[in-house]
Amino acid sequence: RAGKGWSEPAEKPQDGLALAADLHTLLSRAQVDPPYVLVGHSSGGIYVQIYAAQYPEQVAGMVLLDSQPPDAFTKLPSYPGFYNVYRRVSGLLPSLARIGLMRLVYSSAAAGLPPEPRAEERAFQSTASQSRSLRDEFLELKTALTQAHALTSLGDRPLIVVTAVKGAQDGWLPLQEQLADLSTNSLHRVIPNATHTSLTEDEAYSAISVQAILDVVAAVRSDSPLVEP
């Protein structure tokens, strides 16, 4: 996304609609033809839901990996307080990055990744540009959550929701179940010992995420219902 990794910063605020439009433009210019299986982790789950609402004819299936639910502000008791605190803290991060303190903050980050990608992840996370992007994205998150309500149904397109239980907020699991209700052809895989980040960073738990993607792709290609192995 804009401002992350090697990507240039955005010229204007990036709400969910802007991010979906960026992805649509990227896929078009890269000549990656639809339909797509969309995969989103954390806030990325919000963005793929918005994409599916904006471009429904392009979406063949979806995987939501511990995705933020659109109702986070109203149905997660601790979320409004967390958001208000983190919004203030995120405003300080670019200044801390410029004086090198973010290298200390992220010294133990992404511990589950192999050495080379872990070093790359820590380097990117420590930059001022990354901190500005995180700050700006967080400011627009409340808008993006509202925009995600536009997706009310995926019909019978295959959907797998993968939920990490360890460290989950009160109310998180019921909202994950609601996400699974977006499709009549869905599975909800609840992983008791996984954390929010381990679904993408830990070898064992990321394998569960990969399998969910492969299962949705297989269901799309065979035009068959999802079934648990």
Side-chain angles (χ1 to χ4, degrees), residues 1-27 38-51 63-68 79 86 121 124-125 127 129-141 144 147 196 200:
R1 300 198 290 273
K4 298 185 184 298
W6 298 114
S7 296
E8 300 91 342
E11 296 179 356
K12 56 184 180 180
Q14 292 286 89
D15 62 9
L17 292 175
L19 288 165
D22 279 356
L23 178 57
H24 182 260
T25 301
L26 172 67
L27 291 167
L38 300 178
V39 183
H41 171 252
S42 191
S43 298
I46 290 294
Y47 304 139
V48 299
Q49 290 174 66
I50 295 171
Y51 189 100
V63 179
L64 297 175
L65 302 174
D66 219 37
S67 168
Q68 284 196 345
Y79 193 82
Y86 196 83
E121 174 73 4
F124 281 135
Q125 293 284 1
T127 63
S129 61
Q130 166 70 14
S131 293
R132 286 191 296 270
S133 172
L134 180 63
R135 174 201 63 196
D136 295 344
E137 182 177 1
F138 209 77
L139 286 173
E140 296 295 327
L141 182 58
Q147 292 166 340
H196 185 68
T200 58

Side-chain angles (χ1 to χ4, degrees), residues 7 20 42 67 74 79 83 123-124 133 145 153 155-156 163-164 170 184 194-195:
S7 296
S42 191
S67 168
T74 57
Y79 193 82
Y83 178 85
F124 281 135
S133 172
L145 289 166
S153 176
D156 63 353
T163 301
D170 289 342
T184 59
T195 65

Side-chain angles (χ1 to χ4, degrees), residues 93-114:
L93 298 183
S95 297
L96 296 177
R98 284 192 291 272
I99 61 176
L101 286 181
M102 297 309 292
R103 288 197 295 271
L104 297 176
V105 172
Y106 289 111
S107 61
S108 60
L113 293 179

Side-chain angles (χ1 to χ4, degrees), residues 28 37 69 75 113 121 123 147 164 184-185 213-214:
S28 176
V37 169
K75 294 185 179 180
L113 293 179
E121 174 73 4
Q147 292 166 340
T184 59
N185 180 19
I213 298 167
L214 295 175

